[in-house]
Amino acid sequence: MKNFSKIAKVGVVLAFGLAAGNAFAVDACKDQMAIARGSGHGVNGNQVGSISGTKWGFEQWSAGGSNSMTYYDNGTFKADWNNNSDYLARVGFRYGDNGPGKSVSGMQYTADYKYTKTGNASYGYIGIYGWTVNPQVEYYIVDDWYSKPSESFIGPKQGEITVDGATYTIHTFIRDNEDSKTGKSTFLQIFSVRPTARQCGHIDIQAHFNKWNELFKGQNATLPTSKQGQKSIQLKFGNVTEVMLMTEAGGGATGSVDYTYFDMSENGQPSEPPKEIERKAFGGKAATLPGTVEAENFDEGNYGVTYSGVQGASGDDGDHDYRGEDYASVDIVNGGTGKAIGYTAKDEWLEYTINVTKDGEYDIAANVSNGTSAGTLELSLDGKALASLSFTGVEGDWDTYEEATGKATLTAGEHVLRITIANDNTNVDYVKFSLNGDSGENGGENGGENGGENGGENGGENGGKEAIAMDLHMGAVAKTVQVFNMQGKFMGLVTVAAGTSVNDALKARFQDAGVYLVKQGSKMSRIAVK
């Protein structure tokens, strides 16, 4: 939300010179326009205007701090800001702030985009933004954020719309005597919020407009207001005065954004309904517990049904051949004991059909890495919380995996396990379930099947087949390794300084003689400590 009283009013956008058709066949997540951007035009201060030779306009606005915006001849733009209480940069259709607006009836608004972002903010909305008149409404289609919008600020859920590969929740809120296009006024806000963030894709804007009109039908409703009260207001979507792709960040915000692909149309291609994919276990066979659930083998099914993901987070970095393009929003990477889920974001989740063969209390161990922070995996079973698994992470290192552990009681039978990633940038290799006290068949599994080819399936049963190293030295860079006992039980992380001995580090940490399994990346070594 911003203070419009400080913005000079500017006329309508010039007629466009670029092709009007929005080619949905173009994949904005893969295509780049940066090399053909054309001339860059800097924007000074709070300013609105037209992008010459196109159908679009631009706007930059800020409250406090410093900022800059550059837009290009093809509509792409970049911006950065520092210590702003509120900042926005946007490009798209402008029909005049004080005019009658444009009816959305018979239109087909769409947008295709790709961008990268940095920074942090107390709040932020990234997606489609605009205003209507008759009545005055401020609206958002939120595809990404700096912190996910709370109902305290966007109001209660009014419905849902499934479009563009996700089920958005629809919310309404009243701004009570706040700044608007007409000065201080009381007006309705409408939000469509995507369940998990994405940084590229196709937005069928018209589908949201149509759904809002269908849902509201002009009736009155009593809603919470920005003044911590409630008021009755008409739920109606009017004529649009602007339809724009926007990044907004506020609350001491500092960051940047760079849109390398942009197209917006009044007569674009509507999104096709997603094809129905039958839900079933990966490969048609449920994972058996006690045993290991491989993170990359989540259930087959539609987006939002068996998995979520951050679409466009990694571009072509993920292995899309393993699961196919139907699951392209989940990035599968090489890591851990083979393949892992990578390039993840907060609140991303995946579901797995499992078959528990024995009742009992289970030890749980998830093999994870995070090069930016500590984190947590939240596990649920059949929709009920099961366990919370915490880990420390190793700064700048996604190759060193560690085990996040916990316990849970499971009952025999078929269930649905959900793994929710609570922190950005967490790689997940597997989650292993061992029946408590079973150190034979399952207890040594980390040392063998998942711990590396040298570990030995039953706690080092085959340990004598390879020589036991008396010592191991690090290179020029310090490394953090995972340490297991010969029964495959995770003992902890040990940081070994550059050029020093793993043997000495183990002795200092555990102070017990014996043989330890030391895992660095996907390599497992046996180290004897005297």
Side-chain angles (χ1 to χ4, degrees):
M1 187 62 199
K2 62 177 190 176
N3 185 343
F4 286 95
S5 63
K6 298 180 180 179
I7 301 177
K9 301 296 186 287
V10 176
V12 296
V13 178
L14 297 176
F16 64 89
L18 299 181
N22 187 319
F24 185 35
V26 170
D27 185 350
C29 295
K30 296 180 179 179
D31 292 343
Q32 293 283 339
M33 295 175 70
I35 58 174
R37 279 178 157 176
S39 299
H41 309 275
V43 180
N44 297 317
N46 294 349
Q47 186 179 345
V48 295
S50 302
I51 301 176
S52 180
T54 79
K55 51 196 169 183
W56 304 306
F58 68 86
E59 179 174 359
Q60 175 177 254
W61 185 92
S62 72
S66 59
N67 58 80
S68 67
M69 176 185 180
T70 301
Y71 68 86
Y72 296 87
D73 291 343
N74 65 355
T76 60
F77 66 96
K78 62 182 180 180
D80 59 77
W81 54 92
N82 183 58
N83 196 29
N84 271 248
S85 59
D86 196 17
Y87 175 79
L88 68 81
R90 48 187 174 157
V91 165
F93 293 107
R94 296 182 59 85
Y95 302 112
D97 292 335
N98 296 319
K102 189 163 188 172
S103 172
V104 298
S105 178
M107 304 296 286
Q108 183 55 56
Y109 285 101
T110 61
D112 293 89
Y113 71 94
K114 180 179 182 179
Y115 70 90
T116 56
K117 70 175 181 181
T118 66
N120 54 78
S122 297
Y123 68 89
Y125 305 118
I126 304 175
I128 304 299
Y129 173 84
W131 285 82
T132 76
V133 292
N134 300 317
Q136 183 171 247
V137 173
E138 185 180 33
Y139 68 86
Y140 293 82
I141 301 171
V142 183
D143 264 24
D144 193 10
W145 46 78
Y146 281 97
S147 59
K148 192 166 186 178
S150 162
E151 288 192 3
S152 300
F153 300 100
I154 64 175
K157 177 181 173 181
Q158 301 286 355
E160 294 180 344
I161 175 175
T162 300
V163 64
D164 298 323
T167 298
Y168 291 74
T169 55
I170 299 171
H171 303 259
T172 52
F173 192 70
I174 298 174
R175 304 297 300 190
D176 187 8
N177 195 32
E178 300 276 2
D179 294 308
S180 73
K181 291 286 189 179
T182 56
K184 295 285 186 181
S185 64
T186 296
F187 56 91
L188 177 69
Q189 287 183 311
I190 302 175
F191 298 83
S192 284
V193 181
R194 194 177 182 90
T196 53
R198 62 173 178 169
Q199 286 79 51
C200 64
H202 176 81
I203 304 178
D204 187 344
I205 304 169
Q206 191 66 35
H208 292 265
F209 291 170
N210 293 344
K211 184 65 177 181
W212 296 342
N213 276 323
E214 171 195 331
L215 186 64
F216 299 148
K217 297 179 180 177
Q219 75 266 30
N220 283 9
T222 300
L223 300 173
T225 76
S226 58
K227 303 298 185 184
Q228 305 305 312
Q230 289 191 324
K231 283 191 173 182
S232 179
I233 197 167
Q234 185 182 32
L235 297 180
K236 184 179 178 183
F237 191 69
N239 293 341
V240 292
T241 59
E242 57 191 88
V243 183
M244 306 188 82
L245 186 68
M246 180 200 71
T247 292
E248 179 176 8
T254 296
S256 67
V257 68
D258 187 0
Y259 285 84
T260 55
Y261 193 100
F262 170 80
D263 190 23
M264 184 176 281
S265 177
E266 297 171 309
N267 60 342
Q269 181 67 36
S271 294
E272 297 179 4
K275 69 178 182 180
E276 289 296 324
I277 302 174
E278 178 188 359
R279 175 164 193 159
K280 60 183 178 179
F282 177 74
K285 184 178 180 181
T288 301
L289 304 187
T292 300
V293 177
E294 294 288 348
E296 66 274 15
N297 293 344
F298 56 93
D299 283 0
E300 298 174 27
N302 286 100
Y303 181 98
V305 176
T306 64
Y307 71 100
S308 69
V310 185
Q311 294 178 304
S314 68
D316 294 326
D317 291 339
D319 177 3
H320 299 309
D321 292 334
Y322 185 78
R323 293 298 301 258
E325 289 300 322
D326 287 335
Y327 304 97
S329 62
V330 178
D331 284 304
I332 297 173
V333 299
N334 293 323
T337 59
K339 293 190 179 296
I341 300 299
Y343 300 100
T344 59
K346 184 179 184 295
D347 296 329
E348 185 171 340
W349 56 266
L350 306 111
E351 289 188 345
Y352 307 79
T353 300
I354 61 172
N355 179 30
V356 180
T357 60
K358 297 179 182 178
D359 292 347
E361 185 178 35
Y362 283 74
D363 294 317
I364 307 172
N367 202 37
V368 297
S369 71
N370 191 311
T372 58
S373 67
T376 305
L377 293 187
E378 302 291 347
L379 305 187
S380 63
L381 197 69
D382 301 330
K384 297 180 180 179
L386 182 68
S388 182
L389 313 179
S390 297
F391 55 90
T392 59
V394 180
E395 185 175 355
D397 186 356
W398 277 268
D399 294 325
T400 298
Y401 280 70
E402 62 184 284
E403 287 204 333
T405 60
K407 294 180 181 294
T409 299
L410 303 181
T411 57
E414 189 169 281
H415 304 275
V416 173
L417 171 72
R418 174 179 284 200
I419 300 173
T420 299
I421 299 166
N423 306 80
D424 291 338
N425 306 314
T426 297
N427 288 10
V428 185
D429 180 12
Y430 62 77
V431 180
K432 181 172 70 72
F433 292 80
S434 303
L435 198 58
N436 196 320
D438 185 357
S439 60
E441 179 182 356
N442 299 300
E445 189 173 349
N446 260 329
E449 181 181 348
N450 294 308
E453 67 276 11
N454 299 325
E457 182 177 354
N458 292 301
E461 175 181 282
N462 299 318
K465 294 183 179 179
E466 288 192 25
I468 298 175
M470 298 305 296
D471 207 349
L472 186 68
H473 282 73
M474 289 292 101
V477 179
K479 286 288 186 180
T480 299
V481 298
Q482 300 175 62
V483 182
F484 305 85
N485 66 16
M486 292 304 291
Q487 284 70 49
K489 181 176 177 60
F490 179 64
M491 300 180 67
L493 297 175
V494 174
T495 299
V496 185
T500 62
S501 164
V502 176
N503 187 293
D504 290 343
L506 294 175
K507 184 181 294 185
R509 170 68 184 276
F510 301 111
Q511 300 180 344
D512 284 329
V515 180
Y516 296 83
L517 297 174
V518 175
K519 186 179 179 186
Q520 180 186 351
S522 60
K523 181 180 179 181
M524 182 77 78
S525 303
R526 283 186 292 280
I527 305 295
V529 175
K530 292 185 177 181

